[in-house]
Amino acid sequence: MICSLRRPSKEGKGRRIFFLGILFVLFLVIVIPARAQLSELMTKDLRLIYYSKAHEYIVPHLARCFQNALAFDERMFNFLPSGKVTIFLEDFDDFGHGGADVVPNNHIDIGLAPFNYVYETVPANERMNWLMNHELIHIVACDKAAGPDRVFRSLFFGKVSATSEAPLSMLYTYLTTPRRYSPRWYHEGIAVFMETWMSGGVGRVLGGYDEMVFRSMVRDSTYIYDVVGLESEGTTIDFQVGVNSYLYGTRFMSYLAYTYGPEKLLAWVTRSDSSSHFFATQFQQVYGKSLDDGWSDWLKFEHTWQNDNLDSIRKYPVTRSRPISSRALGSVSRSFYDSASGKLYAAVRYPGQVSHIVSIDGRNGQVENLCEVKGPALFYVTSLAYNPRGRVLFFTTNNNKWRDVNAFDLATGSTTCLLPESRIGDLAFDQADSSLWGIRHDAGYSTIVRIPYPYTRWNQILTWPYGQDIFDLDVSPDGSMLAMTLAEVNGTQHLITMDVPKLLAGGDSSYKVLFTSEKTSTEDFVFSADNRSLYGSTYSTGVSNIVRYDLATSEMKWLTNSETGFFRPVPVSEDSLVAWEYSGQGFRPGWITNHSLEDVSAVRYLGQGIYLRFPEVASWTLDPPSSRRINIDSLTIYNGEYNGLANLRLMSVYPVVEGYKNLVAYGLRFNIADPLGLYNLNLTGSYTPNRSIGESERLHLSLGGGYLNWKIRGTVNGADFYDLFGPTKVSRKGYSAGITLKEPIISDDPRTMSAVVDLAGYSGLERLPDYQNIATTFDKFVTLNGRLNYRYYIRTLGSVDAEKGIQWTLSSLNTLVQSRFYPLVYTGLDYGFMLPVDHTSLWARTSFGFSPRGRDDPFANFYFGGFGNNWIDYQDVQRYREYYSFPGLELNEAAGTRYGKFMLELDLPPVRFRRAGILNAYCTWARFALFSGVLMTNIDDQSLRTDYLDVGSQVDFRIVLFSNLESTFSVGYAFAWSRNQRAERELMVSLKLL
């Protein structure tokens, strides 16, 4: 559509005043809001930020742990941080965690909650000390600079953070922090290796779970991934997903330390003036062989090591369970056996299927899905309890956030949410009075709670002091005793019992220690039906075996001698139990006999071999922060409110290239932020030297920024890098300024709902902001847009996209031009479901729009056409799903004031590649989709109505560059038809960066 352009008088002055006025208002909106109430403690090297007075008790201890670990890193690695390390202390999750990054500044995020110790996947060490030991190794590995790194950091005024808006920043990130472009197994491997010795041997180098994983793979001749296949396939389709980075990385580095010594290992991972930028080249330099060859040598060693361990186990008769299920079921929860129906109830999570509570027939192994588990945990899926008389299963959802307590009625098949966001897990049902017991995590403490019938409220029974974590709670059948595991700060674990009447009557917190394990896990202990015994598992020999503890005689008896590991026993009768046996595909239920064994053999940990060969690792043990007498008060240089605005600083400056009207512009990008990232501001200025455009268009400025949920933007002759590559153009002549507020309404992942409001002003434009082929009738206007978006998408393990769910959108697009108002409203509904083949789904996507204004006015129309992807891109890969897209037509070719659109999409299972490429550039998967759509425009007027039909497909290839930069290469093809016109076709080729 071509329309004449009417320009107002005194256009230049008016535009500038208009633009600057809007920017000034936006600046006030972004700066004036009351600052978040944050507090900080600052030393020479640390900025520790927290948001709650309830967390203040841990701040001095955390600061001492940081200073203690940093002093070690200074001695061991000759490391001085390039700037203060910012630590953000939070309690957003029910289990503790940590994360670290070094760009644009050194930053660590710490979750305060107790750890999840399931299967001994995390050591039971004091968690703040453990997290500081671990996360600071990440800072050392990435922040420590050699000569070239320091030169580029000076040139760019800091470390550059890669952003898709300016993709050349990927190169600048490599130049300023080259080791950040290393795979996750590399970073987690060295962090786990160091953390183990820094903690005196309490860690996964000496962990039973890690040994079990590789022992099982060797025994079962399971494929062990090579160095590329681990990241391309092993961390996506395996039931342990990303944990494989920890497992493989720790094991490989432990092998290197055992074979060549710890000093060579440190020489590989430490950045120095004589080291190589790229981690694999540095490996060649240190070990004299390629990383591929070193990895292959490890795999040969691993088979020898684990076969020796298997021979040791087989010195005594090996326990063979009688399998209940014909397949492994991935991760599992606690389970319960119903003798009346002969069914085992558990929650499972494995690739290709949504997490469910299931019933498993104990006779034929038939698995029946009962109800989905929203927000499953990786290893334990959900906390599960069972009321056998009422036939009700209690379980938790949102297990990675603030947990909800739910009830599933086996008779009716209905699910009821009892206690939303209660943060309660480790559920146990008391058959004596039908109450529920659980453990609540809040503000870093573990609290025993009781939930009386009808389960609408919980009562706080006993809060344990910080440093003592409790888990694996169970209630005796007569309701007289609680059993649980108590983890101490030094890694020691106790199996304990508590007297329920005393606990309820007067808060008597005394407990009886039944069994103590200094550095291994004691878990999953449950009472027998006669109250006389406890059944559980322990890694006392290095292998997880089932044991029986006699409460009368205080004797512990071995019940199994496993080659892999037995977990989660379920006593069924005096003669038999159900136990879950570990395999490479997950846990498998089976029957075992309830008879004690004479003895079992121990296995060797690889960490033990390292210590015996190189005892100097024992000298790496840190003294406790308190024993070093770190006086945090004397080190503190500020303790008070955190002011993000006062801490704004220039993070980086670097060259950029942009596109404007098919021409090339050259310029600089300036990035400004506070250390926590609450406030951020970026300014890009570029210039087009080509004289084919007027002088007034050659300068390009763009401003972007944000504060919490607010975003601002502004442009002068806005240019864009991606306009250099492909049909979609977003650069525009003229001025623009806008502000966006995105407010969450529902945050119940994966169920979310948000409201977005956007206000923008434009001046001097030749084309509509969102439609590049549509000329404006006026060059100055204001838009006010609103959007409600509800989404509940579900993905299974091993998926590459959402596989089922629903999305609903309601949008209002409103433009004010010369006192004339143009409202447009559209709504969309997407619904998808899984087909019987794993990772295959069918989606129906609909959209409808209405505009009351005339068809001839460009501001009154919706416009459709094209895939929308550029050859080089950064936006969503599947843009054919957007309401404005219609592959096969030209961009903006179809238009109308009232429209209806319907599309069917078939998503086929992804193809995974174990090795397709080289170490720093490889393809991980390919995804194929077929779609067909119908578009009807101007449906209210038969004389103007036009119907379109398209059929197309798209294949996407996920590519990893520089070891951890994920990009997607896409090829799409579509045909489109309309009445009485020849078919149009479109080929789309696109590489999405970051």
Side-chain angles (χ1 to χ4, degrees):
M1 179 182 291
I2 305 296
C3 301
S4 62
L5 183 66
R6 301 201 295 266
R7 300 181 183 276
S9 61
K10 300 180 181 179
E11 58 179 358
K13 181 179 179 181
R15 286 177 187 160
R16 286 172 173 80
I17 294 175
F18 175 79
F19 173 75
L20 293 175
I22 290 183
L23 268 190
F24 179 72
V25 172
L26 298 182
F27 178 78
L28 293 179
V29 171
I30 204 70
V31 170
I32 286 180
R35 295 191 298 268
Q37 296 301 306
L38 300 174
S39 300
E40 72 171 324
L41 180 148
M42 191 188 305
T43 71
K44 178 175 69 72
D45 298 306
L46 169 68
R47 176 181 279 109
L48 174 52
I49 301 172
Y50 56 101
Y51 60 87
S52 173
K53 291 292 184 183
H55 305 161
E56 206 164 38
Y57 75 95
I58 202 66
V59 167
H61 172 63
L62 177 55
R64 284 193 295 270
C65 291
F66 168 85
Q67 298 292 162
N68 199 34
L70 182 62
F72 172 87
D73 295 334
E74 289 175 353
R75 297 191 305 272
M76 177 65 69
F77 299 98
N78 190 28
F79 170 71
L80 291 175
S82 61
K84 278 184 172 56
V85 179
T86 298
I87 296 179
F88 181 54
L89 177 66
E90 46 92 347
D91 192 28
F92 300 149
D93 304 294
D94 282 350
F95 292 103
H97 64 273
D101 203 353
V102 299
V103 293
N105 61 310
N106 298 327
H107 179 94
I108 297 175
D109 183 81
I110 294 297
L112 177 59
F115 285 151
N116 178 11
Y117 302 108
V118 61
Y119 307 134
E120 203 179 275
T121 51
V122 173
N125 193 6
E126 196 287 302
R127 56 185 181 273
M128 294 299 113
N129 188 58
W130 181 85
L131 285 168
M132 286 300 96
N133 293 347
H134 182 98
E135 301 303 337
L136 269 175
I137 294 297
H138 290 320
I139 302 295
V140 174
C142 294
D143 186 50
K144 193 172 190 299
D149 312 346
R150 291 189 289 270
V151 169
F152 283 108
R153 291 181 189 184
S154 298
L155 182 64
F156 298 138
F157 293 88
K159 294 174 289 185
V160 177
S161 179
T163 173
S164 58
E165 296 173 1
L168 288 179
S169 60
M170 293 187 294
L171 172 62
Y172 307 145
T173 302
Y174 183 75
L175 294 174
T176 55
T177 52
R179 291 297 174 82
R180 188 172 181 270
Y181 284 157
S182 305
R184 192 179 181 193
W185 65 258
Y186 169 89
H187 290 294
E188 299 302 348
I190 189 58
V192 171
F193 181 84
M194 294 303 300
E195 131 222 325
T196 300
W197 304 114
M198 293 167 72
S199 301
V202 180
R204 286 168 283 188
V205 175
L206 284 155
Y209 187 85
D210 291 45
E211 286 287 345
M212 176 183 68
V213 168
F214 290 98
R215 187 172 65 250
S216 300
M217 288 194 285
V218 169
R219 186 198 70 163
D220 299 337
S221 299
T222 302
Y223 180 78
I224 304 179
Y225 289 101
D226 65 19
V227 67
V228 172
L230 169 62
E231 292 299 315
S232 64
E233 185 183 63
T235 58
T236 53
I237 69 168
D238 189 276
F239 83 99
Q240 300 181 108
V241 287
V243 171
N244 274 334
S245 294
Y246 292 81
L247 291 167
Y248 278 75
T250 301
R251 199 70 185 179
F252 180 56
M253 294 199 176
S254 297
Y255 154 76
L256 293 175
Y258 176 82
T259 306
Y260 302 101
E263 295 304 320
K264 270 200 169 185
L265 176 63
L266 297 186
W268 173 37
V269 299
T270 303
R271 184 79 169 115
S272 65
D273 289 340
S274 62
S275 67
S276 172
H277 287 71
F278 190 47
F279 80 102
T281 307
Q282 176 65 8
F283 184 91
Q284 176 91 41
Q285 183 174 315
V286 171
Y287 290 102
K289 62 178 68 176
S290 70
L291 182 58
D292 272 323
D293 288 342
W295 196 277
S296 297
D297 291 345
W298 161 54
L299 297 186
K300 295 173 186 175
F301 165 86
E302 193 67 52
H303 279 79
T304 301
W305 181 272
Q306 297 301 351
N307 278 317
D308 288 344
N309 273 337
L310 288 167
D311 288 341
S312 177
I313 292 170
R314 291 164 183 162
K315 289 178 182 178
Y316 295 94
V318 172
T319 301
R320 305 293 182 189
S321 67
R322 180 163 57 88
I324 294 176
S325 171
S326 60
R327 59 163 297 176
L329 296 172
S331 302
V332 297
S333 70
R334 181 180 174 182
S335 54
F336 300 88
Y337 185 78
D338 184 78
S339 56
S341 62
K343 292 183 177 181
L344 184 71
Y345 298 113
V348 299
R349 183 181 191 235
Y350 53 91
Q353 296 294 319
V354 176
S355 301
H356 278 88
I357 296 176
V358 300
S359 69
I360 307 169
D361 194 302
R363 294 155 296 190
N364 56 29
Q366 183 176 349
V367 179
E368 178 187 359
N369 291 340
L370 300 179
C371 71
E372 292 184 10
V373 177
K374 183 169 71 72
L378 174 59
F379 282 115
Y380 73 94
V381 189
T382 184
S383 177
L384 193 66
Y386 181 47
N387 174 0
R389 287 194 297 270
R391 302 194 69 239
V392 173
L393 287 161
F394 301 93
F395 67 103
T396 54
T397 52
N398 295 345
N399 289 278
N400 299 308
K401 292 293 183 182
W402 286 19
R403 290 165 292 182
D404 309 327
V405 177
N406 305 267
F408 175 78
D409 191 312
L410 286 166
T412 64
S414 61
T415 301
T416 304
C417 182
L418 303 173
L419 295 169
E421 296 188 349
S422 62
R423 310 193 69 176
I424 297 172
D426 284 276
L427 301 178
F429 183 74
D430 188 343
Q431 299 183 49
D433 62 5
S434 296
S435 64
L436 266 179
W437 290 76
I439 298 172
R440 185 172 190 266
H441 290 170
D442 184 40
Y445 297 107
S446 295
T447 299
I448 297 176
V449 300
R450 181 175 175 271
I451 310 170
Y453 180 84
Y455 318 116
T456 56
R457 59 184 176 85
W458 56 269
N459 300 321
Q460 179 177 338
I461 304 301
L462 176 65
T463 297
W464 295 75
Y466 176 86
Q468 290 187 316
D469 295 337
I470 52 171
F471 55 96
D472 286 343
L473 186 68
D474 195 41
V475 187
S476 62
D478 62 4
S480 64
M481 284 186 292
L482 296 179
M484 67 200 79
T485 299
L486 170 64
E488 304 278 9
V489 293
N490 62 357
T492 299
Q493 294 190 30
H494 310 286
L495 174 62
I496 67 171
T497 56
M498 302 186 75
D499 188 293
V500 170
K502 291 181 179 179
L503 188 60
L504 294 178
D508 187 342
S509 60
S510 60
Y511 56 85
K512 180 180 180 181
V513 176
L514 307 183
F515 176 76
T516 296
S517 179
E518 290 189 1
K519 292 185 179 180
T520 59
S521 177
T522 57
E523 57 185 11
D524 302 325
F525 276 85
V526 295
F527 286 95
S528 61
D530 58 10
N531 297 296
R532 295 167 54 187
S533 304
L534 283 163
Y535 294 85
S537 63
T538 177
Y539 279 105
S540 293
T541 63
V543 181
S544 180
N545 277 302
I546 304 302
V547 294
R548 181 181 64 234
Y549 183 89
D550 191 301
L551 292 168
T553 65
S554 301
E555 289 184 301
M556 186 87 83
K557 297 288 187 180
W558 297 105
L559 300 184
T560 64
N561 181 35
S562 175
E563 291 180 328
T564 59
F566 283 112
F567 299 86
R568 300 195 181 280
V570 183
V572 174
S573 68
E574 291 185 1
D575 299 321
S576 61
L577 297 90
V578 172
W580 293 79
E581 185 174 15
Y582 178 84
S583 74
Q585 288 72 47
F587 294 89
R588 186 194 305 272
W591 294 100
I592 60 174
T593 58
N594 190 4
H595 298 149
S596 59
L597 305 180
E598 289 289 332
D599 205 351
V600 294
S601 292
V603 297
R604 276 182 83 200
Y605 291 148
L606 185 52
Q608 291 172 318
I610 296 171
Y611 171 74
L612 292 174
R613 281 194 173 192
F614 305 98
E616 62 265 27
V617 294
S619 67
W620 296 0
T621 302
L622 272 66
D623 293 332
S626 57
S627 67
R628 284 180 55 86
R629 300 187 179 180
I630 298 173
N631 189 335
I632 203 63
D633 292 331
S634 65
L635 295 175
T636 300
I637 59 178
Y638 176 76
N639 194 350
E641 183 182 351
Y642 174 75
N643 187 330
L645 281 174
N647 283 286
L648 283 173
R649 67 176 182 88
L650 183 67
M651 292 292 181
S652 61
V653 180
Y654 50 81
V656 296
V657 178
E658 297 185 304
Y660 181 78
K661 291 188 173 181
N662 297 316
L663 302 173
V664 181
Y666 306 93
L668 292 172
R669 177 181 170 111
F670 299 80
N671 299 287
I672 300 168
D674 70 295
L676 193 57
L678 285 178
Y679 296 88
N680 64 85
L681 195 67
N682 62 79
L683 174 65
T684 302
S686 63
Y687 186 78
T688 301
N690 195 298
R691 293 174 178 252
S692 64
I693 58 174
E695 181 66 34
S696 63
E697 289 188 65
R698 295 181 193 171
L699 177 65
H700 315 286
L701 298 174
S702 63
L703 173 73
Y707 170 79
L708 298 179
N709 297 331
W710 295 90
K711 302 291 181 184
I712 63 167
R713 65 189 185 278
T715 65
V716 176
N717 300 322
D720 188 89
F721 171 85
Y722 298 96
D723 276 20
L724 297 169
F725 307 96
T728 301
K729 309 293 184 183
V730 299
S731 58
R732 296 289 188 273
K733 176 186 177 182
Y735 304 82
S736 72
I739 184 169
T740 303
L741 171 63
K742 183 176 182 179
E743 193 68 28
I745 299 173
I746 299 174
S747 297
D748 186 20
D749 193 48
R751 188 171 66 97
T752 62
M753 186 174 185
S754 61
V756 180
V757 179
D758 181 88
L759 172 66
Y762 302 89
S763 178
L765 264 65
E766 299 172 327
R767 303 280 166 171
L768 290 180
D770 296 325
Y771 305 112
Q772 66 191 56
N773 296 324
I774 310 300
T776 61
T777 50
F778 293 91
D779 71 342
K780 185 185 296 184
F781 50 90
V782 176
T783 62
L784 176 62
N785 302 327
R787 178 184 177 97
L788 277 175
N789 188 74
Y790 173 84
R791 175 179 290 185
Y792 190 0
Y793 279 176
I794 295 176
R795 302 175 56 158
T796 67
L797 286 178
S799 67
V800 298
D801 202 354
E803 295 177 302
K804 63 178 292 187
I806 187 170
Q807 175 173 270
W808 171 78
T809 300
L810 176 64
S811 295
S812 176
L813 313 175
N814 306 283
T815 307
L816 181 63
V817 185
Q818 294 281 307
S819 302
R820 186 173 175 83
F821 182 58
Y822 294 88
L824 289 81
V825 178
Y826 72 90
T827 186
L829 179 66
D830 297 351
Y831 177 77
F833 58 91
M834 297 174 64
L835 298 177
V837 178
D838 285 357
H839 306 307
T840 305
S841 56
L842 184 66
W843 289 83
R845 307 184 189 277
T846 62
S847 180
F848 302 91
F850 168 81
S851 171
R853 297 295 186 183
R855 169 73 179 85
D856 294 332
D857 198 314
F859 291 101
N861 282 265
F862 299 93
Y863 299 92
F864 308 89
F867 276 95
N869 306 64
N870 275 341
W871 307 325
I872 305 294
D873 212 331
Y874 73 102
Q875 299 186 63
D876 287 343
V877 172
Q878 290 87 27
R879 280 229 280 297
Y880 61 82
R881 297 172 178 171
E882 299 291 342
Y883 85 94
Y884 54 77
S885 173
F886 202 78
L889 299 181
E890 294 289 336
L891 291 171
N892 313 148
E893 178 180 344
T897 56
R898 294 166 176 82
Y899 79 89
K901 184 182 175 185
F902 176 80
M903 182 177 74
L904 275 178
E905 177 185 348
L906 175 65
D907 294 333
L908 299 178
V911 177
R912 296 281 181 179
F913 303 107
R914 284 185 172 173
R915 181 145 193 164
I918 58 177
L919 194 60
N920 58 355
Y922 52 87
C923 182
T924 64
W925 50 257
R927 167 196 174 274
F928 188 75
L930 296 168
F931 57 85
S932 180
V934 176
L935 171 66
M936 298 168 288
T937 60
N938 301 306
I939 56 180
D940 59 319
D941 189 335
Q942 285 297 325
S943 64
L944 296 175
R945 174 171 170 169
T946 306
D947 298 339
Y948 302 87
L949 171 69
D950 74 348
V951 176
S953 64
Q954 181 170 316
V955 58
D956 304 315
F957 298 88
R958 176 57 52 85
I959 299 170
V960 177
L961 305 172
F962 294 110
S963 299
N964 61 13
L965 289 178
E966 291 188 342
S967 302
T968 306
F969 177 72
S970 302
V971 178
Y973 195 79
F975 292 91
W977 300 267
S978 61
R979 187 179 304 171
N980 301 323
Q981 292 187 11
R982 294 180 60 186
E984 300 182 57
R985 64 191 65 190
E986 179 185 7
L987 172 66
M988 181 274 293
V989 178
S990 177
L991 175 64
K992 176 185 180 292
L993 300 176
L994 296 180

